[in-house]
Amino acid sequence: MRRWFAVSAALAVVVLLIAAACSAVGRPAQSATPAGISKIKHVVIIMQENRSFDSYFGTFPGADGIPMQNGVPTVCVPDPEKHACVRPYYDPADRNAGGPHSQSNAKADVNGGQMNGFIAQAEHASSNCAANDPNCTGTKGTDVMGYHDARDIPNYWTYAKDFTLQDHLFQSDASWSLPSHLYMVSEWSAKCSIPGDAESCTNAPQGPQLPPDFGKKTAPPRPAPDYAWTDLTYLLYQQKVSWGYYVFNGTEPDCENDSAMTCAPVKQNAKTPGIWNPLPYFDTVKQDGQLGNIQSLTNFYSAAKSGTLPSVSWIDPTSAVSEHPPALVSSGQAYVTGLINSIMSGPDWNSTAIFVSWDDWGGFYDHVAPPVVDQNGYGLRVPGIVISPYAKKGYIDHQTLSQDAYVKFIEDDFLHGQRLDPATDGRPDPRPDVREDNPLLGNLANDFDFSQKPSPPLILPNATTY
């Protein structure tokens, strides 16, 4: 493992040098569009919460899963409290605790590539923390070494078997939910010192400005954040590409303040900006008059049924179905299955690509050290599933990917390869790099066979529709 990490670190240095050289000579405004990608008219991103790849697919046949010999894990993670170590084990529990998952926890879990800090971080978290706080586990015990399989998540495993599973997909940034969702829509997590001034924004992978007065009351009240840097909707609007951000009415899946010890449930709907609904705070969304594109999840079901899905859809869960501990695994799977069934039952199925992933690792064990692409990431490995009539059947994609690949696919499909690049997009900001063009990042187009006969709908049981 140490040898592998040393090679990975050396490669990362080379990559950063190459990226710097490319920046010096200027970046191309466009990239080649993969052949056949235009058959995809609708991209749907379903982002769940807090699961590592090994915790869900660590025993999936053919995947880069938990190292085993004769069915017994060969890895063992130190347990400081018990002065022993714990091997990954099957955990049938529907409700998990997970572990702390802030930026410092990610670094400690990886531990220089040894991937052995998970139990220590979970045990170090205070026992009186709320169970859903990013810095806490909410329990004196720890289940971070437990994993699920087809007995617990049969629908997820069915999608992986019948479509495409990605086993080297990493979180865009090595941090918690707010930075992850900022990357999902803008490829950066930042903090801006001057409202409306994109060039005043600075790198903030752990601490972008929070929504007002969540976590604790402040005096004077904390102002609403101003996300002045450029997000993907700016490019979509320029090229007249439709989009929708769909919010499940209910409560937010996690604490708003990642340093808070406890937090009361925070209500969410399409009209409440927050950690999982950051687009209302982006200047470009307001200036382009597109706040109305942030809608209730009920509108998504209606659009799927009527065949009026926008070109790009992001879907934001409520706490109970998010899979963020302590939410039930079964409830999350039923919700995601319902979303996918609604797409497959509608007229847009034959031209849709669904990307299912989890926003961060949630403190759960994973054995693969994440590549280093810049000072913000990648984060730890998370599950990724591609579901589409053109997705390769039973395929396991071993490319190095991150959730940046979703943005790259959207740009290639709908924007002729235009990137969120301050050198070319007409709206400069000081982001550290153009993630979509990183040399390590694979291409999601490889997960599709646009020459194959489109796969029929696969309507699965035990689904819920809200």
Side-chain angles (χ1 to χ4, degrees), residues 238-309:
Q238 281 188 326
Q239 299 201 31
K240 297 180 173 57
V241 178
S242 59
W243 63 271
Y245 194 99
Y246 298 93
V247 180
F248 193 147
N249 293 351
T251 57
E252 293 187 337
D254 199 351
C255 289
E256 292 273 357
N257 185 346
D258 87 305
S259 64
M261 298 300 288
T262 60
C263 64
V266 176
K267 291 184 179 180
Q268 74 170 18
N269 58 53
K271 303 303 179 184
T272 55
I275 300 304
W276 290 265
N277 181 18
L279 281 175
Y281 291 129
F282 275 92
D283 290 351
T284 57
V285 178
K286 291 177 282 189
Q287 291 167 1
D288 292 339
Q290 294 201 295
L291 287 171
N293 292 25
I294 304 163
Q295 309 166 53
S296 169
L297 183 63
T298 57
N299 289 4
F300 179 83
Y301 292 115
S302 298
K305 183 177 181 179
S306 64
T308 57
L309 287 175

Coordinates of all heavy atoms in Angstrom, one line a residue, residues 238-309:
Q238 N -26.3 30.8 -21.1 CA -25.8 31.4 -22.3 C -26.1 30.7 -23.5 O -26.4 31.3 -24.6 CB -24.2 31.5 -22.2 CG -23.7 32.6 -21.3 CD -22.2 32.8 -21.4 OE1 -21.5 31.8 -21.5 NE2 -21.7 34.0 -21.3
Q239 N -26.1 29.3 -23.5 CA -26.4 28.5 -24.6 C -27.8 28.0 -24.7 O -28.1 27.0 -25.4 CB -25.3 27.4 -24.7 CG -23.9 28.0 -24.8 CD -22.9 27.0 -25.4 OE1 -23.2 26.1 -26.2 NE2 -21.6 27.1 -24.9
K240 N -28.7 28.6 -23.9 CA -30.1 28.3 -23.9 C -30.4 26.8 -23.6 O -31.2 26.1 -24.3 CB -30.7 28.7 -25.2 CG -30.7 30.2 -25.4 CD -31.3 30.6 -26.8 CE -31.4 32.1 -26.9 NZ -30.1 32.8 -26.8
V241 N -29.7 26.2 -22.6 CA -29.9 24.8 -22.2 C -30.7 24.8 -20.9 O -30.4 25.5 -20.0 CB -28.5 24.1 -21.9 CG1 -28.7 22.7 -21.5 CG2 -27.7 24.2 -23.2
S242 N -31.8 24.1 -20.9 CA -32.7 24.1 -19.8 C -32.1 23.3 -18.6 O -31.4 22.3 -18.8 CB -34.0 23.5 -20.2 OG -33.9 22.1 -20.7
W243 N -32.5 23.7 -17.4 CA -32.0 23.0 -16.2 C -33.0 23.1 -15.1 O -33.8 24.0 -15.1 CB -30.6 23.4 -15.7 CG -30.6 24.9 -15.3 CD1 -30.3 26.0 -16.1 CD2 -30.8 25.4 -14.0 NE1 -30.3 27.1 -15.3 CE2 -30.6 26.8 -14.0 CE3 -31.1 24.8 -12.7 CZ2 -30.8 27.6 -12.9 CZ3 -31.2 25.6 -11.6 CH2 -31.1 27.0 -11.7
G244 N -33.0 22.2 -14.2 CA -33.8 22.2 -13.0 C -33.1 21.6 -11.8 O -32.4 20.7 -11.9
Y245 N -33.3 22.3 -10.7 CA -32.7 21.8 -9.4 C -33.9 21.5 -8.5 O -34.7 22.4 -8.1 CB -31.8 22.8 -8.8 CG -30.9 22.3 -7.6 CD1 -29.6 22.0 -7.9 CD2 -31.4 22.2 -6.4 CE1 -28.8 21.5 -6.8 CE2 -30.6 21.7 -5.3 CZ -29.3 21.4 -5.6 OH -28.5 20.9 -4.6
Y246 N -34.1 20.2 -8.2 CA -35.3 19.7 -7.5 C -35.0 19.4 -6.1 O -34.2 18.6 -5.8 CB -35.9 18.5 -8.3 CG -36.2 18.8 -9.7 CD1 -35.3 18.6 -10.8 CD2 -37.5 19.4 -10.0 CE1 -35.7 18.9 -12.1 CE2 -37.8 19.7 -11.3 CZ -36.9 19.5 -12.3 OH -37.2 19.8 -13.6
V247 N -35.8 20.0 -5.2 CA -35.6 19.9 -3.8 C -36.8 19.2 -3.1 O -37.9 19.5 -3.4 CB -35.5 21.3 -3.1 CG1 -35.3 21.2 -1.6 CG2 -34.4 22.1 -3.8
F248 N -36.5 18.2 -2.4 CA -37.4 17.4 -1.7 C -37.9 18.1 -0.4 O -37.0 18.4 0.5 CB -36.8 16.0 -1.3 CG -37.8 15.0 -0.8 CD1 -37.5 13.6 -1.1 CD2 -38.9 15.3 -0.1 CE1 -38.4 12.6 -0.7 CE2 -39.8 14.3 0.3 CZ -39.5 13.0 0.1
N249 N -39.1 18.5 -0.3 CA -39.6 19.2 0.8 C -39.5 18.4 2.1 O -39.8 17.2 2.1 CB -41.1 19.6 0.7 CG -41.3 20.6 -0.4 OD1 -40.3 21.2 -1.0 ND2 -42.5 20.9 -0.7
G250 N -38.9 18.9 3.1 CA -38.7 18.2 4.4 C -37.7 18.9 5.2 O -37.8 20.0 5.6
T251 N -36.6 18.1 5.6 CA -35.6 18.7 6.5 C -34.2 18.4 5.8 O -34.1 17.4 5.1 CB -35.6 18.1 7.9 OG1 -35.5 16.7 7.8 CG2 -36.9 18.5 8.6
E252 N -33.2 19.2 6.1 CA -31.9 19.0 5.6 C -31.2 17.8 6.1 O -31.4 17.4 7.3 CB -31.1 20.3 5.8 CG -31.6 21.5 5.1 CD -30.6 22.7 5.2 OE1 -29.8 22.7 6.2 OE2 -30.7 23.6 4.4
P253 N -30.4 17.1 5.3 CA -29.8 15.8 5.7 C -28.8 15.9 6.8 O -28.3 14.9 7.3 CB -29.3 15.3 4.4 CG -30.0 16.0 3.3 CD -30.3 17.3 3.9
D254 N -28.2 17.1 7.1 CA -27.1 17.2 8.0 C -27.1 18.5 8.7 O -28.0 19.4 8.5 CB -25.8 17.2 7.1 CG -24.6 16.8 7.9 OD1 -24.6 16.7 9.1 OD2 -23.5 16.5 7.3
C255 N -26.2 18.8 9.6 CA -26.1 20.0 10.3 C -25.6 21.1 9.3 O -24.7 20.8 8.6 CB -25.2 19.9 11.5 SG -25.8 19.0 12.9
E256 N -26.2 22.3 9.4 CA -25.7 23.4 8.6 C -24.3 23.8 8.9 O -23.5 24.2 8.0 CB -26.7 24.6 8.7 CG -28.0 24.4 8.2 CD -28.1 24.7 6.7 OE1 -27.1 25.2 6.2 OE2 -29.2 24.5 6.1
N257 N -24.0 23.8 10.2 CA -22.6 24.2 10.6 C -21.8 23.0 10.9 O -22.1 22.3 11.9 CB -22.8 25.1 11.9 CG -21.5 25.7 12.3 OD1 -20.4 25.3 11.9 ND2 -21.5 26.7 13.2
D258 N -20.8 22.8 10.2 CA -20.1 21.5 10.3 C -19.2 21.5 11.6 O -18.7 20.4 12.0 CB -19.2 21.2 9.1 CG -17.8 21.9 9.3 OD1 -17.8 23.1 9.5 OD2 -16.8 21.2 9.1
S259 N -19.1 22.6 12.3 CA -18.4 22.6 13.6 C -19.4 22.6 14.8 O -19.0 22.5 16.0 CB -17.6 23.9 13.7 OG -18.4 25.0 13.8
A260 N -20.7 22.5 14.5 CA -21.7 22.5 15.6 C -21.7 21.1 16.2 O -21.6 20.1 15.6 CB -23.1 22.8 15.1
M261 N -21.9 21.1 17.6 CA -21.9 19.8 18.3 C -23.3 19.2 18.1 O -23.4 17.9 18.1 CB -21.6 20.0 19.8 CG -20.2 20.6 20.0 SD -18.9 19.5 19.4 CE -19.0 18.2 20.6
T262 N -24.3 20.0 18.1 CA -25.7 19.5 17.9 C -26.4 20.5 17.0 O -26.0 21.6 16.9 CB -26.5 19.3 19.2 OG1 -26.5 20.6 19.9 CG2 -25.8 18.3 20.1
C263 N -27.5 20.0 16.4 CA -28.4 21.0 15.7 C -29.8 20.4 15.6 O -30.0 19.2 15.5 CB -27.8 21.2 14.3 SG -27.8 19.8 13.2
A264 N -30.7 21.4 15.6 CA -32.1 21.0 15.4 C -32.4 20.8 14.0 O -31.7 21.3 13.1 CB -33.0 22.1 16.0
P265 N -33.4 20.0 13.6 CA -33.7 19.8 12.2 C -34.0 21.2 11.5 O -34.7 22.1 12.1 CB -35.0 19.0 12.2 CG -34.9 18.3 13.6 CD -34.3 19.2 14.5
V266 N -33.5 21.3 10.3 CA -33.7 22.6 9.5 C -34.6 22.3 8.4 O -34.3 21.4 7.6 CB -32.4 23.1 9.0 CG1 -32.6 24.4 8.2 CG2 -31.5 23.5 10.2
K267 N -35.7 23.0 8.3 CA -36.7 22.7 7.2 C -36.1 23.1 5.8 O -35.3 24.0 5.8 CB -38.0 23.5 7.4 CG -38.8 23.0 8.6 CD -40.1 23.7 8.7 CE -41.0 23.2 9.8 NZ -42.3 23.9 10.0
Q268 N -36.4 22.4 4.8 CA -36.0 22.8 3.5 C -37.1 22.6 2.5 O -38.0 21.7 2.6 CB -34.8 21.9 3.0 CG -35.1 20.5 2.6 CD -33.9 19.8 2.0 OE1 -32.8 20.2 2.1 NE2 -34.2 18.7 1.3
N269 N -37.1 23.5 1.5 CA -38.0 23.3 0.3 C -37.3 24.1 -0.8 O -36.2 24.7 -0.6 CB -39.4 23.8 0.6 CG -39.5 25.2 1.1 OD1 -39.0 26.1 0.5 ND2 -40.1 25.4 2.2
A270 N -38.0 24.2 -1.9 CA -37.3 24.9 -3.1 C -37.1 26.4 -2.8 O -36.2 27.0 -3.5 CB -38.2 24.7 -4.3
K271 N -37.8 27.0 -1.8 CA -37.6 28.4 -1.5 C -36.7 28.7 -0.4 O -36.5 29.8 0.0 CB -39.0 29.0 -1.2 CG -40.0 28.8 -2.4 CD -39.5 29.3 -3.7 CE -40.6 29.1 -4.8 NZ -40.1 29.6 -6.1
T272 N -36.0 27.6 0.2 CA -35.1 27.8 1.3 C -33.7 27.5 0.8 O -33.3 26.3 0.7 CB -35.5 26.9 2.5 OG1 -35.6 25.5 2.0 CG2 -36.8 27.3 3.0
P273 N -32.9 28.5 0.5 CA -31.5 28.2 0.2 C -30.8 27.5 1.4 O -31.1 27.7 2.5 CB -30.9 29.6 -0.1 CG -32.1 30.5 -0.3 CD -33.2 29.9 0.6
G274 N -29.8 26.7 1.1 CA -29.1 26.0 2.2 C -27.9 25.2 1.7 O -27.5 25.3 0.5
I275 N -27.4 24.3 2.5 CA -26.3 23.5 2.2 C -26.5 22.6 1.0 O -25.7 22.4 0.2 CB -25.9 22.6 3.4 CG1 -25.6 23.5 4.6 CG2 -24.7 21.7 3.1 CD1 -24.5 24.5 4.4
W276 N -27.7 22.1 0.9 CA -28.1 21.2 -0.2 C -28.8 21.9 -1.3 O -29.2 21.3 -2.3 CB -28.9 20.0 0.3 CG -28.0 19.1 1.2 CD1 -27.3 18.0 0.8 CD2 -27.6 19.4 2.5 NE1 -26.5 17.5 1.8 CE2 -26.7 18.3 2.9 CE3 -27.9 20.3 3.5 CZ2 -26.1 18.2 4.2 CZ3 -27.4 20.2 4.7 CH2 -26.5 19.2 5.1
N277 N -29.0 23.2 -1.2 CA -29.7 24.0 -2.2 C -28.9 25.3 -2.3 O -29.4 26.4 -2.0 CB -31.1 24.2 -1.8 CG -31.9 25.0 -2.8 OD1 -31.5 25.1 -3.9 ND2 -33.0 25.6 -2.4
P278 N -27.7 25.3 -2.8 CA -26.8 26.5 -2.8 C -27.1 27.4 -4.0 O -26.6 28.6 -3.9 CB -25.4 25.9 -2.9 CG -25.6 24.6 -3.7 CD -26.9 24.1 -3.3
L279 N -27.8 27.0 -5.0 CA -27.8 27.8 -6.2 C -28.5 29.2 -6.0 O -28.1 30.1 -6.7 CB -28.6 27.0 -7.3 CG -27.7 26.0 -8.1 CD1 -28.6 25.2 -9.1 CD2 -26.6 26.7 -8.8
P280 N -29.5 29.3 -5.1 CA -30.1 30.7 -4.9 C -29.0 31.7 -4.4 O -29.3 32.9 -4.6 CB -31.1 30.4 -3.8 CG -31.5 29.0 -4.0 CD -30.2 28.3 -4.3
Y281 N -27.9 31.3 -3.9 CA -26.9 32.2 -3.4 C -25.9 32.6 -4.5 O -25.1 33.5 -4.3 CB -26.1 31.6 -2.2 CG -26.9 31.4 -1.0 CD1 -26.9 30.2 -0.3 CD2 -27.6 32.5 -0.4 CE1 -27.6 30.1 0.9 CE2 -28.3 32.4 0.8 CZ -28.3 31.2 1.4 OH -29.0 31.0 2.6
F282 N -26.0 32.0 -5.7 CA -25.1 32.3 -6.8 C -25.6 33.6 -7.5 O -26.8 33.6 -7.9 CB -25.0 31.2 -7.7 CG -23.9 30.2 -7.3 CD1 -24.3 29.1 -6.5 CD2 -22.6 30.3 -7.7 CE1 -23.3 28.1 -6.1 CE2 -21.6 29.4 -7.3 CZ -22.0 28.3 -6.5
D283 N -24.7 34.5 -7.7 CA -25.1 35.8 -8.4 C -25.6 35.5 -9.8 O -26.6 36.1 -10.2 CB -23.9 36.7 -8.5 CG -23.4 37.3 -7.2 OD1 -24.2 37.1 -6.2 OD2 -22.4 37.9 -7.1
T284 N -25.0 34.5 -10.5 CA -25.4 34.3 -11.9 C -26.9 33.8 -12.0 O -27.6 34.2 -12.9 CB -24.5 33.3 -12.5 OG1 -24.5 32.1 -11.8 CG2 -23.1 33.8 -12.6
V285 N -27.3 33.0 -11.0 CA -28.7 32.5 -11.1 C -29.7 33.6 -10.9 O -30.7 33.7 -11.6 CB -28.9 31.4 -10.0 CG1 -30.3 30.9 -10.0 CG2 -27.9 30.2 -10.2
K286 N -29.3 34.5 -10.0 CA -30.2 35.6 -9.8 C -30.2 36.6 -11.0 O -31.3 37.1 -11.4 CB -29.8 36.4 -8.5 CG -30.1 35.6 -7.2 CD -29.6 36.3 -5.9 CE -28.1 36.2 -5.8 NZ -27.7 36.7 -4.4
Q287 N -29.0 36.9 -11.5 CA -28.9 37.9 -12.6 C -29.5 37.3 -13.8 O -30.1 38.1 -14.6 CB -27.4 38.2 -12.8 CG -26.8 39.0 -11.6 CD -25.3 39.0 -11.7 OE1 -24.7 38.5 -12.6 NE2 -24.7 39.7 -10.7
D288 N -29.5 36.0 -14.0 CA -30.1 35.4 -15.2 C -31.6 35.2 -15.1 O -32.3 34.7 -16.0 CB -29.4 34.1 -15.6 CG -28.0 34.3 -16.0 OD1 -27.7 35.4 -16.5 OD2 -27.2 33.4 -15.9
G289 N -32.2 35.5 -13.9 CA -33.6 35.3 -13.7 C -34.0 33.9 -13.7 O -35.1 33.6 -14.1
Q290 N -33.2 33.0 -13.1 CA -33.5 31.6 -13.2 C -33.7 31.0 -11.8 O -33.7 29.8 -11.6 CB -32.4 30.8 -13.9 CG -32.3 31.2 -15.4 CD -31.5 30.2 -16.2 OE1 -30.4 29.9 -16.0 NE2 -32.3 29.6 -17.1
L291 N -34.1 31.8 -10.8 CA -34.4 31.2 -9.5 C -35.6 30.3 -9.6 O -35.7 29.3 -8.8 CB -34.7 32.4 -8.5 CG -33.5 33.2 -8.0 CD1 -33.9 34.4 -7.2 CD2 -32.5 32.3 -7.2
G292 N -36.5 30.5 -10.5 CA -37.6 29.6 -10.7 C -37.3 28.2 -11.1 O -38.1 27.3 -11.1
N293 N -36.0 28.0 -11.6 CA -35.6 26.7 -12.0 C -35.4 25.8 -10.8 O -35.2 24.6 -10.9 CB -34.4 26.7 -12.9 CG -34.6 27.4 -14.2 OD1 -35.5 28.1 -14.4 ND2 -33.7 27.0 -15.2
I294 N -35.3 26.4 -9.6 CA -35.2 25.6 -8.4 C -36.6 25.3 -7.9 O -37.3 26.2 -7.5 CB -34.4 26.4 -7.3 CG1 -33.0 26.8 -7.9 CG2 -34.2 25.7 -6.0 CD1 -32.3 28.0 -7.2
Q295 N -36.9 24.0 -7.9 CA -38.3 23.6 -7.8 C -38.5 22.5 -6.8 O -37.6 21.9 -6.4 CB -38.8 23.2 -9.2 CG -38.6 24.1 -10.4 CD -38.8 23.4 -11.7 OE1 -39.8 22.8 -11.9 NE2 -37.8 23.4 -12.5
S296 N -39.8 22.3 -6.5 CA -40.2 21.2 -5.7 C -39.9 19.9 -6.4 O -40.1 19.8 -7.6 CB -41.6 21.3 -5.2 OG -42.1 20.1 -4.7
L297 N -39.6 18.8 -5.7 CA -39.4 17.5 -6.3 C -40.6 17.0 -7.0 O -40.5 16.2 -8.0 CB -38.9 16.5 -5.2 CG -38.6 15.1 -5.7 CD1 -37.4 15.1 -6.7 CD2 -38.3 14.2 -4.5
T298 N -41.8 17.4 -6.5 CA -43.0 17.0 -7.2 C -43.0 17.4 -8.7 O -43.6 16.7 -9.5 CB -44.3 17.5 -6.5 OG1 -44.2 19.0 -6.5 CG2 -44.4 17.0 -5.1
N299 N -42.4 18.5 -9.0 CA -42.3 18.9 -10.4 C -41.5 18.0 -11.2 O -41.7 17.8 -12.4 CB -41.7 20.3 -10.5 CG -42.7 21.4 -10.0 OD1 -43.8 21.1 -9.5 ND2 -42.3 22.6 -10.1
F300 N -40.5 17.3 -10.6 CA -39.6 16.4 -11.3 C -40.5 15.2 -11.7 O -40.4 14.7 -12.9 CB -38.4 15.9 -10.5 CG -37.6 14.9 -11.2 CD1 -36.6 15.4 -12.1 CD2 -37.7 13.6 -11.0 CE1 -35.8 14.5 -12.8 CE2 -36.9 12.7 -11.7 CZ -36.0 13.1 -12.6
Y301 N -41.2 14.6 -10.8 CA -42.1 13.5 -11.1 C -43.0 13.8 -12.3 O -43.3 13.0 -13.2 CB -42.9 13.0 -9.9 CG -42.0 12.4 -8.8 CD1 -41.9 13.0 -7.6 CD2 -41.3 11.2 -9.0 CE1 -41.1 12.5 -6.5 CE2 -40.6 10.7 -8.0 CZ -40.5 11.3 -6.8 OH -39.7 10.8 -5.7
S302 N -43.6 15.0 -12.2 CA -44.5 15.4 -13.3 C -43.8 15.6 -14.6 O -44.4 15.1 -15.7 CB -45.2 16.8 -12.9 OG -45.9 16.7 -11.7
A303 N -42.6 16.1 -14.6 CA -41.9 16.3 -15.9 C -41.5 14.9 -16.4 O -41.5 14.7 -17.7 CB -40.6 17.1 -15.6
A304 N -41.1 14.0 -15.6 CA -40.7 12.7 -16.0 C -41.9 12.0 -16.7 O -41.8 11.3 -17.7 CB -40.2 11.8 -14.9
K305 N -43.1 12.1 -16.1 CA -44.3 11.5 -16.6 C -44.7 12.1 -17.9 O -45.2 11.3 -18.8 CB -45.4 11.6 -15.5 CG -46.7 10.9 -15.9 CD -47.7 11.0 -14.8 CE -49.0 10.3 -15.2 NZ -50.0 10.4 -14.1
S306 N -44.6 13.4 -18.0 CA -45.1 14.0 -19.2 C -44.1 14.1 -20.4 O -44.4 14.6 -21.5 CB -45.6 15.5 -18.9 OG -44.5 16.2 -18.4
G307 N -42.8 13.7 -20.1 CA -41.8 13.8 -21.1 C -41.2 15.2 -21.3 O -40.9 15.6 -22.4
T308 N -41.2 16.0 -20.2 CA -40.7 17.4 -20.3 C -39.6 17.6 -19.3 O -39.4 18.7 -18.8 CB -41.9 18.4 -20.0 OG1 -42.4 18.1 -18.6 CG2 -43.0 18.3 -21.0
L309 N -38.7 16.6 -19.2 CA -37.5 16.8 -18.3 C -36.6 17.9 -19.0 O -36.5 17.9 -20.2 CB -36.7 15.5 -18.2 CG -37.3 14.4 -17.3 CD1 -36.4 13.1 -17.4 CD2 -37.4 14.9 -15.9

